Amino acid sequence: MYRYDEYDQTLVDERVRQFRGQVARRLAGELTEDEFKPLRLMNGLYLQLHAYMLRVAIPYGLLSAAQMRRLAHIARRYDRGYGHFTTRQNIQYNWPKLEDTPDILAELASVEMHAIQTSGNSFRNTTTDQYAGVAADEIEDPRVYCEIIRQWSTLHPEFSFLPRKFKIAVTGAPNDRAAVRLHDIGLIMRRGDAGETGFEVIVGGGQGRTPFVGPTIREFLPKKHLLSYLEAIMRVYNQLGRRDNLFKARIKILVHEAGAEKVTEMVEEEWRHIKDGALDLPAEEVERIRAHFAPPPYETLAAAQPAFEEKKRADGAFATWADTNLAAHKVPGYAIVNLSLKPVGGIPGDATADQMDAVADLAEHYSFGEIRVTHEQNLVLADVRRTDLHVLWRKLRDIGLATPNLGLVSDIIACPGLDYCGLANARSIPVAQRIGNRFADLKRQHDIGELKIKISGCINACGHHHVGHIGILGLERKGEEYYQITLGGSADQDAAIGKIIGPAFSSEDVVDAVETVVNTYVELRQNGERFIDTYRRVGKEPFKERLYAAA
Amino acid sequence: MPLLKDGVLVDDPWVTVDDGTQLPMDGPAMVSLERWQAHRDELLGRNAPLGIRLKSDQSPALIADDLDRFAVVALEFPVFRDGRAYSYARLLRERYGYRGEVRAVGEVLRDQFLFMLRCGFDAFEVRDENAAGQWREAVSEISVVYQPAADSRTPVWALRHRRSAAE
Ligand code: HEM
Ligand code: SF4
């Protein structure tokens, strides 16, 4: 993984010092809360319902064991013993004290981490495929470009006061595991006519109150132009993005109102002036960064692992887990292991300090000391020998991270909702927990198959409900929580925004409603269809009939 | 309003003339884009330096052909959150090659100095008499830059390889 050099380290150290000064000025009353707000937001510090919340950047979701241990230490020492992994591959602490935050940032800096730009109207953490570098379907490792973007977008002098926050996602594979079409900018690695690699550039996707699947504005951008092209997009957006209305300030609204063609034209015109200039990274810098992502020293192993197959035959629980939570690795004899942060009845994405420490140990023993965080709020050990899987599985079970539910009905994404968030209409976490309990029977979950439920506590859509196969949106009416259900959303290469199925359900009824939807699918499905396939075939009517038949 | 230039507070020789009011006979005067567009000849006939003050929705592209007429281009930050002028300043310096003063006016706060400086601003109307001290801190607290801009700082990706080339 990328390791800081003296420059990278200097920047985060200076940043800690700067923030310490800002907090001191705030505590001394030299800064009003209004003046302090944009400064703390540049460092990931939010004011929530009950306390401050600190969001720490995990660049493109990649962590070393040492970093994970430091996150555990921070959870223990400055918070209440746990942290929350988010859909943006970051981690949040819900209970830090303002006066502690400079120390927390110093702890982070000591392991090459920071909270820079994890909030505020500037570039946010660039996200990517959690299987980057090891996926069998990958054209090229996208993390090299994520790191290039991370550096370029850090404290960018021109783009630190954008109309609104800005999120970039990159994938190196045609199967999109990073929801790139739902970001302000999405980049998909493609091959050009001569076999060279470059990016398809997508602009103006997003969720929130006006969800859009982003249009492609350039089919192929040679890699060397990446930063100049991004800078051209940003310059157009910084000047023309709406600043009169917070809800219309994202680039998706500019793209929607001006039209993708017009935006493309403006971007290309701006780009004409700056391409082939100072923003072309020197080849040796790209190579320097690429070298950090060189494959670890894999052993040469046979693709077939009889011992592993034998264990599967002998141990049904292990087999279920292996069939569900593993993904294909490009190197023979290795597997990608998903650690579920969705135990039945638990809080999606939460991990205790002890779990974090244990995962760090396991990563060191079994996966070259690295861990990834997924946008579906799980963890990944990406490089495990198949022969180690059984032992690893037993150890994961001991720490509660072996729930075999990846991609299944209880692998739910949920935002913090009314339990933490000041903008919420309704709670999300308890709904996720109740759905998890309703479908606690793992056999049944496996029978139902791939099904993505996503829950947001308000229209800001932090829980990705628009792109859930089943989306659940919290509403509030006369002090009561209600939940609107959408069907047919998808965040992958066939990205789609879900359709509202009908009137909202009370908190009491929403779990029944989800179960009715699931049962309807089970009755309608044909020859191995997944939920989303059946929905696409039959449309929403059959579901609607069943849901509202009684009314 | 105190004016900060090159890190020190200086007397501001410029008078900002509101649209409705009479232009002073002599002395440097700063006018709006609207006034410039309506009274161009009258303004050019004055025998004194002329400056222009652009609002945050007025791109310098609108005056690109006339830039050599202005000794100062002031770019307004109606609120510090409105970051359009950062792009305008870079366009002035890098696209149009403007060498005169680029002045930040409006809500100009200490914690924006470094970004402004990097985008090509070289004068700052500030509200605080202590701004010079704050300036020194603000522009030196982050020494590493990751991107080329309108200033002379070298991005680290160039430093890295300059150094290794020398080794
Ligand atoms: C609890 C404090 C939080 C607050 C106040 C908050 C606020 C917001 C707001 C206002 C938006 C809408 C932005 C827009 O449409 O322009 C948004 C979107 C979003 N947030 Fe949050 N959020 C919070 C927590 C989270 C968490 C915990 C996650 C990750 C699990 C998250 C991930 C996202 C995502 C993925 C989006 C939608 C994508 C987009 O930006 O369009 N947020 N958030
Ligand atoms: S979706 Fe709404 S309730 Fe949930 S975290 Fe985002 S802002 Fe808060």
Side-chain angles (χ1 to χ4, degrees):
Chain A
M1 68 189 287
Y2 187 75
R3 299 300 313 265
Y4 283 6
D5 69 0
E6 65 197 272
Y7 297 108
D8 302 305
Q9 190 65 48
T10 301
L11 186 135
V12 296
D13 290 343
E14 289 176 341
R15 185 66 169 188
V16 173
R17 226 170 295 138
Q18 182 188 43
F19 189 61
R20 206 179 277 288
Q22 290 165 346
V23 170
R25 280 188 282 144
R26 173 71 190 114
L27 291 173
E30 286 169 37
L31 288 172
T32 64
E33 173 53 29
D34 231 32
E35 289 166 344
F36 181 57
K37 188 174 166 190
L39 305 178
R40 66 172 163 76
L41 286 180
M42 297 281 284
N43 286 292
L45 192 61
Y46 278 85
L47 199 50
Q48 282 192 285
L49 221 45
H50 313 291
Y52 280 103
M53 177 269 274
L54 180 70
R55 186 181 291 156
V56 175
I58 302 176
Y60 33 94
L62 191 57
L63 284 172
S64 68
Q67 290 173 329
M68 185 64 112
R69 285 199 188 95
R70 188 62 54 143
L71 294 178
H73 167 73
I74 291 170
R76 239 179 238 121
R77 166 121 192 236
Y78 302 97
D79 206 289
R80 298 188 178 173
Y82 66 96
H84 177 74
F85 289 97
T86 80
T87 54
R88 307 216 62 265
Q89 303 181 310
N90 289 326
I91 184 170
Q92 293 183 178
Y93 294 105
N94 284 313
W95 308 100
K97 290 209 259 323
L98 176 60
E99 49 278 28
D100 283 342
T101 50
D103 291 337
I104 300 176
L105 295 190
E107 299 257 14
L108 291 169
S110 75
V111 289
E112 305 178 8
M113 293 183 80
H114 60 74
I116 297 171
Q117 289 169 216
T118 54
S119 47
N121 293 331
S122 57
F123 294 103
R124 303 294 185 84
N125 188 23
T126 296
T127 50
T128 192
D129 183 355
Q130 67 271 20
Y131 300 160
V134 293
D137 60 349
E138 183 170 281
I139 295 177
E140 214 182 289
D141 192 337
R143 295 172 302 176
V144 178
Y145 299 93
C146 292
E147 175 58 27
I148 288 170
I149 293 171
R150 182 192 76 79
Q151 296 191 19
W152 161 78
S153 65
T154 296
L155 305 187
H156 197 298
E158 185 178 349
F159 306 129
S160 286
F161 297 91
L162 295 168
R164 203 74 181 86
K165 57 183 162 180
F166 207 90
K167 302 175 180 177
I168 302 177
V170 190
T171 175
N175 292 308
D176 179 6
R177 288 170 289 262
V180 297
R181 289 196 179 273
L182 297 160
H183 284 75
D184 296 287
I185 294 180
L187 299 169
I188 304 178
M189 187 77 73
R190 299 280 185 211
R191 273 196 200 287
D193 297 334
E196 78 283 23
T197 52
F199 297 101
E200 177 181 343
V201 183
I202 296 154
V203 172
Q207 305 193 44
R209 67 187 59 218
T210 36
F212 287 106
V213 173
T216 296
I217 69 160
R218 191 169 239 281
E219 297 289 344
F220 188 78
L221 177 74
K223 284 183 302 195
K224 81 178 193 81
H225 295 305
L226 178 63
L227 292 185
S228 60
Y229 203 79
L230 292 180
E231 190 141 315
I233 296 171
M234 299 314 297
R235 187 165 287 159
V236 168
Y237 170 58
N238 190 40
Q239 295 180 79
L240 299 179
R242 289 183 58 171
R243 292 176 186 265
D244 58 329
N245 180 341
L246 199 65
F247 299 130
K248 303 200 167 181
R250 296 292 285 268
I251 196 172
K252 64 190 173 187
I253 303 293
L254 176 65
V255 172
H256 179 67
E257 289 180 350
E261 259 171 50
K262 178 74 189 156
V263 169
T264 308
E265 212 174 279
M266 292 188 289
V267 168
E268 295 275 332
E269 168 59 21
E270 178 58 37
W271 187 48
R272 205 170 54 78
H273 293 283
I274 58 177
K275 72 188 280 207
D276 301 319
L279 282 160
D280 286 6
L281 275 189
E284 57 275 29
E285 176 64 1
V286 180
E287 287 320 307
R288 186 190 72 89
I289 291 175
R290 188 185 308 284
H292 285 283
F293 297 98
Y298 293 118
E299 292 167 37
T300 310
L301 301 172
Q305 295 287 333
F308 166 66
E309 299 301 332
E310 179 49 40
K311 284 274 191 252
K312 271 178 72 174
R313 267 191 300 279
D315 188 338
F318 173 61
T320 306
W321 175 81
D323 290 341
T324 314
N325 286 30
L326 301 183
H329 197 289
K330 67 178 182 188
V331 177
Y334 283 84
I336 302 171
V337 178
N338 283 281
L339 281 47
S340 170
L341 292 180
K342 318 289 177 64
V344 168
I347 297 179
D350 273 12
T352 65
D354 291 346
Q355 284 176 322
M356 292 185 227
D357 275 337
V359 169
D361 291 346
L362 294 175
E364 268 171 355
H365 277 98
Y366 298 107
S367 196
F368 299 103
E370 287 181 13
I371 303 116
R372 293 130 186 257
V373 182
T374 83
H375 89 272
E376 293 182 317
Q377 302 183 279
N378 291 313
L379 301 177
V380 166
L381 297 179
D383 297 293
V384 181
R385 289 186 307 197
R386 287 188 171 265
T387 45
D388 290 335
L389 286 170
H390 191 257
V391 192
L392 174 62
W393 169 70
R394 292 210 335 239
K395 293 184 174 170
L396 287 172
R397 226 173 29 168
D398 292 344
I399 54 171
L401 296 179
T403 313
N405 63 348
L406 194 86
L408 301 182
V409 56
S410 62
D411 185 6
I412 297 170
I413 293 183
C415 79
L418 198 53
D419 292 300
Y420 296 100
C421 174
L423 304 178
N425 290 322
R427 289 170 296 167
S428 316
I429 293 168
V431 175
Q433 289 170 318
R434 281 159 51 213
I435 295 173
N437 286 327
R438 178 69 63 93
F439 292 94
D441 176 4
L442 274 169
K443 262 222 188 69
R444 182 173 174 208
Q445 290 198 38
H446 282 266
D447 174 62
I448 296 165
E450 183 185 303
L451 177 51
K452 304 202 169 181
I453 298 184
K454 310 193 186 209
I455 310 175
S456 306
C458 80
I459 193 62
N460 287 319
C462 305
H464 292 201
H465 68 276
H466 294 300
V467 293
H469 296 165
I470 300 178
I472 301 176
L473 164 64
L475 306 171
E476 186 259 8
R477 235 183 276 144
K478 301 201 182 99
E480 296 274 323
E481 294 166 307
Y482 280 85
Y483 296 89
Q484 187 177 69
I485 293 188
T486 51
L487 296 181
S490 165
D492 60 16
Q493 59 280 6
D494 306 315
I497 307 296
K499 294 221 166 37
I500 297 170
I501 187 83
F505 296 90
S506 70
S507 177
E508 204 179 320
D509 293 339
V510 65
V511 179
D512 289 339
V514 169
E515 190 167 26
T516 302
V517 170
V518 172
N519 288 342
T520 308
Y521 149 69
V522 170
E523 285 162 30
L524 294 173
R525 71 180 163 190
Q526 297 174 353
N527 3 325
E529 275 178 339
R530 300 168 305 163
F531 175 88
I532 189 72
D533 303 323
T534 302
Y535 175 83
R536 284 178 181 157
R537 179 171 55 79
V538 304
K540 69 177 183 179
E541 285 311 318
F543 295 97
K544 195 169 168 180
E545 267 165 38
R546 281 288 297 276
L547 271 174
Y548 299 102
Chain B
M1 190 81 74
L3 183 71
L4 197 58
K5 262 200 107 157
D6 300 322
V8 286
L9 286 181
V10 297
D11 284 331
D12 184 3
W14 288 85
V15 185
T16 304
V17 188
D18 291 336
D19 279 355
T21 50
Q22 187 79 36
L23 276 174
M25 290 302 290
D26 46 23
M30 186 127 50
V31 299
S32 69
L33 175 69
E34 291 78 6
R35 189 166 194 149
W36 164 250
Q37 287 171 336
H39 303 284
R40 183 189 167 95
D41 291 341
E42 182 198 342
L43 290 167
L44 289 177
R46 267 178 94 247
N47 207 359
L50 186 64
I52 191 164
R53 177 175 170 129
L54 300 178
K55 299 199 177 62
S56 69
D57 60 355
Q58 298 173 332
S59 163
L62 298 166
I63 52 166
D65 294 335
D66 296 321
L67 280 171
D68 52 357
R69 315 276 185 185
F70 304 113
V72 172
V73 178
L75 301 173
E76 217 173 274
F77 291 84
V79 289
F80 68 84
R81 259 175 264 105
D82 184 340
R84 283 175 278 195
Y86 293 102
S87 288
Y88 298 158
R90 286 195 68 185
L91 288 173
L92 278 171
R93 295 295 189 210
E94 296 170 62
R95 179 88 25 98
Y96 307 126
Y98 181 67
R99 295 295 188 80
E101 177 180 308
V102 178
R103 179 183 292 202
V105 298
E107 197 170 13
V108 178
L109 304 178
R110 173 219 187 269
D111 293 284
Q112 274 85 45
F113 284 155
L114 181 58
F115 291 143
M116 289 178 177
L117 181 73
R118 295 214 61 214
C119 286
F121 288 96
D122 59 355
F124 308 84
E125 283 185 15
V126 288
R127 50 180 187 184
D128 195 328
E129 294 291 344
N130 303 319
Q134 298 173 355
W135 167 269
R136 273 191 300 280
E137 263 175 34
V139 300
S140 61
E141 62 196 356
I142 304 287
S143 64
V144 173
V145 304
Y146 279 120
Q147 54 295 99
D151 58 349
S152 57
R153 295 180 184 221
T154 311
V156 292
W157 67 57
L159 291 177
R160 281 171 178 145
H161 300 286
R162 184 181 295 171
R163 190 193 45 177
S164 57
E167 271 166 11

